[in-house]
Amino acid sequence: MSGPLRLVPDEAGPDWAEQTVQLRTLPRGRRRPVLPAQRPQPEEQLELSADPLDELAERLADVCADAVHPYEIAAFLESDGLSDEQAGLLYGRPDAFTVAEELFEKVQRRYPGPSSEFANPWRADPWRCVVRGLVFALPGLGYLLGANLFAATRMRFGLPSGMLALSVATLVSWSWNQALAHRSYAWLGRGRRRAAGICLAVGAPLGALVAAAAGYVIGGPLGALCFAAGQSGYLAAATVLLVLGREKFLLVALAPSAIGAGVVLAVDVPQLVRTIVLLASLGLAVGLAGREIVRCLRSEQDATVLKLPLGQELPHLLFGLAVGTLTMIAGLGTTVHQAVRTGAAEGASASPTGPAMIALTLSLGLAEWLLFRYRAMAVAGLRISHTPAAFARRTGGVLLGCLFIYLTTVAALDAAATVLWPGAPALGVPELGALLLLGGSLWLALLLNAFGFSWSTALICLAAAGAECAGLLTGVDPTVLQLIGCGAAAAVLTAIAGPVLGRTTKHR
């Protein structure tokens, strides 16, 4: 407890028990000093309430009515200087927490709910989330333009070498850029835009180089390796633009590839033309990203020294690796399963994407909006829930509602992508169930990650990804693997999210 008792000055007289005792519990605008002329004379009879706590409850009616737990009132009393000794002296209670609990019982919860003046910090622009969903999914169309570059008969580790090299480069890019984005957002959140620009200027090219080198180490046809290098550069540039909030610029950069993919679906286009279209999108993305980095570097730098340890990015790197692996197994699982079983180059010309990956990437915009929506409704729930149990029920219902909306959308997108994607197999109930379990796991992991459970989500998703990879390489059906691995991950994440996110302290 902090703060001494604010008594009338000593010169008022030694009989201090008869003097007025006033705690700093009134709002600042209503505080009035106690003047000597206003103090009761010794011969005057003081009119006291039968319970002095009633007067305090009346003065703190607004604070008590707005509280959803006695601890909130206790925190207010403590900040106002009420110690345990003062609680016993003034109110006859053993400590300040007992005072808070009785105030919580005395004052009825009557807060009317979120007012128009309440500014919720978790509002999200739905149209911006739609744009982000498009820029997450449109790069998948680039694989239609580069499909001929993956044709190969040489196998490596039982898989077509071109597909394997591109998959490894993709996983490295996803994990690296996940950590890079988190670190850059951390700088931006601290008002260090120039530091964020330096982080992106160094990290984005380095990540692209590392990813391209990983693909080159695996080996494969020259065309596939060039495509992997170009994709690594694009993902690095896309990370820069997304972190800096330039989704529309990225949409402009993807326009050539999107238009070119539409043409390829209608007519046969020479590979030279396809390559030129891909290079145009890559050049636009890299150029726009470089322009935004230069703007950040020209920002004024705060002179205060601030350091962010690199070790805190490790769980985010592992999380990106796990999510990329789970998503890639959903898209490539059948092709890899056939290649492992036959030992031949079946599916060698298949592109490293598919309806499942298209559905998941296209749904990321909605996933992001639902994350904001959940947090906004949880904050609003703090202001209208009367008890902690009521708040837990309210947030639990919001969580289930957001998850239902997301999974329904993923199912619809997967059904549409299966119809439109060339050569896609028919969508069965087991495959749809596996995809929904994967989508639910990823959304819950993203939600918990936003609340600071980075290590937990990373390890859970990494365990599921490792189990699926091991089973896939031993010839187990990928759908069965996803049902087991993603189902277990979803169950564990749900068991964590339910109790943790039902606490009021997690939404302050």
Side-chain angles (χ1 to χ4, degrees), residues 24 42 72 76 96 125 147 155 179 193 199 220 236 255 287 307 377 413 432 442 445 472 478 498:
R24 296 179 292 111
E72 294 185 49
F76 179 85
D125 183 2
M155 305 291 290
R193 189 170 182 83
C199 180
K307 294 183 179 180
M377 295 182 72
L413 291 173
L432 179 60
L442 297 185
L472 192 62

Side-chain angles (χ1 to χ4, degrees), residues 157-383:
F157 302 112
L159 299 175
S161 57
M163 183 197 307
L164 182 61
L166 183 60
S167 299
V168 170
T170 303
L171 289 178
V172 173
S173 291
W174 282 357
S175 56
W176 182 283
N177 290 323
Q178 178 77 15
L180 177 63
H182 179 267
R183 189 169 184 80
S184 302
Y185 278 127
W187 284 120
L188 290 174
R190 290 163 173 78
R192 304 298 184 88
R193 189 170 182 83
R194 186 179 177 188
I198 295 174
C199 180
L200 293 170
V202 175
L206 184 59
L209 182 61
V210 171
Y216 179 80
V217 170
I218 297 298
L222 180 60
L225 295 179
C226 291
F227 189 93
Q231 177 189 255
S232 302
Y234 165 79
L235 291 175
T239 300
V240 173
L241 292 175
L242 289 173
V243 167
L244 298 179
R246 298 295 186 265
E247 298 86 0
K248 294 181 180 179
F249 289 175
L250 191 55
L251 196 61
V252 171
L254 289 170
S257 293
I259 296 173
V263 174
V264 167
L265 289 175
V267 298
D268 188 19
V269 178
Q271 185 58 49
L272 178 61
V273 177
R274 300 184 182 193
T275 303
I276 293 174
V277 173
L278 288 172
L279 290 175
S281 286
L282 175 61
L284 282 172
V286 172
L288 291 171
R291 175 191 175 192
E292 293 305 313
I293 288 178
V294 170
R295 286 187 172 183
C296 287
L297 296 177
R298 291 176 178 174
S299 302
E300 294 184 4
Q301 180 68 47
D302 193 334
T304 307
V305 177
L306 182 63
K307 294 183 179 180
L308 296 179
L310 285 173
Q312 69 181 10
E313 312 306 336
L314 180 58
H316 300 281
L317 186 145
L318 295 177
F319 179 70
L321 177 62
V323 169
T325 303
L326 291 172
T327 306
M328 193 163 291
I329 290 176
L332 282 177
T334 303
T335 301
V336 175
H337 178 63
Q338 293 176 353
V340 170
R341 290 187 60 186
T342 61
E346 292 185 37
S349 61
S351 61
T353 186
M357 292 184 69
I358 292 295
L360 287 173
T361 52
L362 192 58
S363 69
L364 288 178
L366 175 65
E368 187 175 81
W369 182 80
L370 287 173
L371 291 178
F372 277 93
R373 187 62 180 164
Y374 171 80
R375 302 206 70 170
M377 295 182 72
V379 171
L382 286 173
R383 303 177 63 82

